[in-house]
């Protein structure tokens, strides 16, 4: 595959369709600048500021853009909030739609048949594989990203984090907790 | 189309992950060619030779067995190659020779390194000015239509002919079923887009937890009054 992709890239460059330096720049952007830290910032701010949380509920696109997280696959955002009654989990059964602007590129499992097939029919089985146990009275709401709306899960704030700073709270928010396959949790070292 | 991409509800693919820890450690790329494919396909979008829905249709048109076994970036690569060939931007002779033989096709733009940040920031919004009011309101009962087009659709098989409730009006968005047809369809043909909630029991039967549900974002042409 490496040789085949190199050959295609050099052909596209020779024909004037592609600039390899632009390809490098795109890769670097998603390896170093756009990733789940963006989403963790959104979540921590929502935990700390009720007004921001309300804005996220009303117009997640504007609220997220206000933090500077404006980029492709984040043009139309919806934030869904976990609470005592509902646990949210996001999938794209038809392809790999994912909120790049706040989470970066999706993990391989998110794009692969086991998750895409099972998330909608067996969400509790999937959650168990991630070690995520829910109380019996909590319903699971799965969001299948069939349009250009991109879903960000706002996990519940972990107990015992009163008075924590935004930076400390961000360390509780993993990528997978914002997809909804895990919960936010205090860092093990804390 | 009822292709290999329409995976919701299938069984037999095995576990998603071994553990949450394994997920956290799994790298985003598993081979050197994978990031190159990602970057090439994002970059060549600027050429303007196909739209988002046409690229999705090219991916889901792969033979189902290939779609289900290929790594995801291989799916992207095969679909991009198919689109490049269809639009005569490259030829099979050139792929075999590994060099340019025929003249390039005109393109809208070759994305330069200095334009990457702006292009990523601009993204590709698909909301359009509404020329009519929404046909459904939050709380309305709806029924999805039962269609099996050979062309592109974003109404998955598992949600056809099902009863749901409108939970949000999401805007007036480009309609993929039309947009994927390009010059053979009505273009973007924007439509009202709704979030529709279905109970898990409606979709999968009475063995499901009665508290569980699935939402899909569906355009008005997919919906009838329930």
């Amino acid at each position: 595959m490496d040789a085949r992709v190199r050959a295609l890239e050099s052909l596209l460059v020779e024909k004037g369709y592609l600039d390899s330096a632009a390809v490098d720049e795109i890769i670097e952007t998603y390896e170093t600048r756009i990733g789940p830290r963006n989403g963790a910032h959104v979540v921590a701010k929502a935990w700390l500021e009720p007004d921001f949380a309300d804005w996220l509920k009303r117009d997640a696109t504007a609220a997220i853009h206000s933090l500077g997280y404006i980029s492709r696959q984040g043009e139309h955002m919806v934030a869904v909030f976990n609470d005592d009654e509902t646990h949210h989990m996001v999938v794209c059964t038809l392809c790999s739609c994912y909120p790049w602007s706040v989470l970066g590129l999706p993990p391989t499992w998110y794009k692969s048949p086991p998750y895409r097939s099972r998330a909608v029919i067996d969400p509790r089985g999937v959650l168990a594989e991630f070690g995520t146990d829910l109380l019996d009275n909590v319903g699971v709401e799965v969001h299948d990203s069939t349009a250009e709306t991109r879903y960000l899960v706002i996990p519940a704030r972990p107990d015992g984090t009163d008075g924590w700073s935004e930076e400390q709270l961000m360390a509780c928010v993993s990528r997978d907790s914002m997809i909804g396959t895990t919960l936010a949790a205090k860092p093990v070292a804390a | 189309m009822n292709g290999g991409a329409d995976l919701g509800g299938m069984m037999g693919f095995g576990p998603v992950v071994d553990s949450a820890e394994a997920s956290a450690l799994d790298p985003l790329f598993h081979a050197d060619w994978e990031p190159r494919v990602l970057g090439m396909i994002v970059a060549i979008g600027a050429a303007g030779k196909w739209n988002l829905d046409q690229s999705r249709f090219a991916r889901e048109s792969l033979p189902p067995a290939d779609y289900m076994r290929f790594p995801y970036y291989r799916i992207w690569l095969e679909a991009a190659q198919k689109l490049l060939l269809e639009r005569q931007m490259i030829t099979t002779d050139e792929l075999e020779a590994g060099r340019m033989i025929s003249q390039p096709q005109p393109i809208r733009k070759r994305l330069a390194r200095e334009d990457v940040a702006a292009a990523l920031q601009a993204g590709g919004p698909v909301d359009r000015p509404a020329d009519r009011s929404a046909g459904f309101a939050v709380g309305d009962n709806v029924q999805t239509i039962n269609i099996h087009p050979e062309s592109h659709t974003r109404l998955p098989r598992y949600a056809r002919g099902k009863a749901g409730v409108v939970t949000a009006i999401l805007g007036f968005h480009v309609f993929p079923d039309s947009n994927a047809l390009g010059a053979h369809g009505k273009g973007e043909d924007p439509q009202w887009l709704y979030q529709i909630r279905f109970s898990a029991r409606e979709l999968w039967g009475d063995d499901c937890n009665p508290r569980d549900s699935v939402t899909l974002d569906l355009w008005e042409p997919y919906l009838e009054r329930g």
Side-chain angles (χ1 to χ4, degrees):
Chain A
M1 286 299 290
D2 281 318
R4 181 182 159 193
V5 171
R6 267 200 302 277
L8 180 64
E9 181 172 348
S10 77
L11 176 60
L12 296 176
V13 168
E14 188 185 358
K15 296 202 80 168
Y17 302 139
L18 191 71
D19 174 1
S20 278
V23 175
D24 296 340
E25 178 71 15
I26 291 164
I27 297 166
E28 196 184 323
T29 299
Y30 287 105
E31 282 186 333
T32 62
R33 290 195 285 281
I34 300 182
R37 232 185 119 70
N38 295 4
H41 182 203
V42 173
V43 172
K45 195 172 171 66
W47 287 344
L48 287 169
E49 299 176 24
D51 286 350
F52 184 75
D54 284 345
W55 193 12
L56 269 180
K57 283 177 193 167
R58 282 197 322 275
D59 186 351
T61 307
I64 290 167
H65 285 188
S66 78
L67 301 180
Y69 306 135
I70 307 171
S71 61
R72 59 177 284 141
Q73 297 297 315
E75 296 93 334
H76 310 288
M77 293 294 306
V78 176
V80 286
F81 289 68
N82 287 344
D83 58 26
D84 293 343
E85 291 177 359
T86 308
H87 178 86
H88 296 273
M89 190 169 118
V90 181
V91 65
C92 173
T93 62
L94 294 173
C95 51
S96 59
C97 297
Y98 187 77
W100 290 19
S101 65
V102 279
L103 298 187
L105 299 174
T108 300
W109 58 258
Y110 184 88
K111 304 180 285 186
S112 301
Y115 185 68
R116 288 168 52 192
S117 62
R118 286 175 56 210
V120 286
I121 191 171
D122 181 26
R124 289 171 188 268
V126 171
L127 287 167
E129 284 177 16
F130 282 84
T132 303
D133 294 319
L134 301 175
L135 296 171
D136 285 345
N137 60 346
V138 175
V140 178
E141 184 162 285
V142 178
H143 302 281
D144 190 355
S145 312
T146 46
E148 295 316 304
T149 27
R150 297 287 167 268
Y151 285 83
L152 178 69
V153 175
I154 310 295
R157 181 171 173 168
D159 291 337
T161 57
D162 288 355
W164 283 31
S165 68
E166 188 173 86
E167 192 72 21
Q168 286 174 303
L169 289 172
M170 282 175 67
C172 301
V173 186
S174 66
R175 175 195 68 199
D176 292 355
S177 74
M178 294 181 282
I179 301 172
T181 52
T182 62
L183 307 177
K186 288 200 281 188
V188 177
Chain B
M1 69 178 293
N2 298 345
D6 189 358
L7 291 166
M10 286 189 72
M11 297 175 185
F13 291 113
V16 174
V17 290
D18 294 331
S19 66
E21 292 72 24
S23 166
L25 294 172
D26 188 31
L28 291 178
F29 301 114
H30 292 86
D32 290 345
W33 61 270
E34 291 191 343
R36 297 314 293 178
V37 168
L38 165 86
M40 283 163 59
I41 284 164
V42 170
I44 209 159
K49 302 297 275 188
W50 53 77
N51 64 43
L52 173 69
D53 297 300
Q54 289 169 327
S55 67
R56 289 212 180 110
F57 186 61
R59 290 169 198 162
E60 69 198 26
S61 301
L62 286 175
D66 288 343
Y67 188 98
M68 291 176 189
R69 74 186 164 88
F70 282 169
Y72 204 72
Y73 289 113
R74 172 99 188 259
I75 296 172
W76 277 27
L77 174 70
E78 300 293 348
Q81 184 173 303
K82 177 183 152 105
L83 289 165
L84 289 162
L85 288 166
E86 278 175 4
R87 281 144 179 79
Q88 298 173 331
M89 294 171 74
I90 60 171
T91 64
T92 48
D93 288 347
E94 288 177 327
L95 281 175
E96 275 174 31
R99 61 182 171 78
M100 180 162 80
I101 297 170
S102 56
Q103 282 304 303
Q105 293 283 324
I107 60 170
R108 187 176 63 200
K109 182 182 176 182
R110 186 187 72 147
L111 188 71
R113 179 183 193 113
E114 55 270 24
D115 296 332
V116 165
L120 295 180
Q121 174 152 351
V126 294
D127 54 335
R128 300 289 180 265
D131 61 8
R132 75 203 83 145
S133 51
F136 298 104
V138 171
D140 282 357
N141 292 314
V142 293
Q143 176 91 16
T144 54
I145 58 173
N146 181 19
I147 51 167
H148 294 271
E150 289 181 25
S151 53
H152 184 59
T153 184
R154 296 292 288 179
L155 178 60
R157 265 177 290 185
Y158 78 87
R160 295 173 188 166
K162 301 292 184 184
V165 179
V166 176
T167 38
I169 301 178
L170 298 168
F172 195 69
H173 284 210
V174 172
F175 186 42
D177 303 44
S178 175
N179 199 38
L181 299 175
H184 306 292
K186 290 189 285 181
E188 293 191 337
D189 191 26
Q191 302 284 342
W192 283 100
L193 178 70
Y194 304 88
Q195 185 195 60
I196 310 293
R197 181 190 286 143
F198 302 88
S199 72
R201 288 188 164 186
E202 168 71 7
L203 297 174
W204 312 111
D206 290 344
D207 288 342
C208 294
N209 189 310
R211 299 176 203 279
D212 292 355
S213 58
V214 179
T215 77
L216 291 87
D217 296 341
L218 302 176
W219 290 259
E220 198 160 293
Y222 298 160
L223 304 172
E224 292 171 347
R225 205 155 284 283

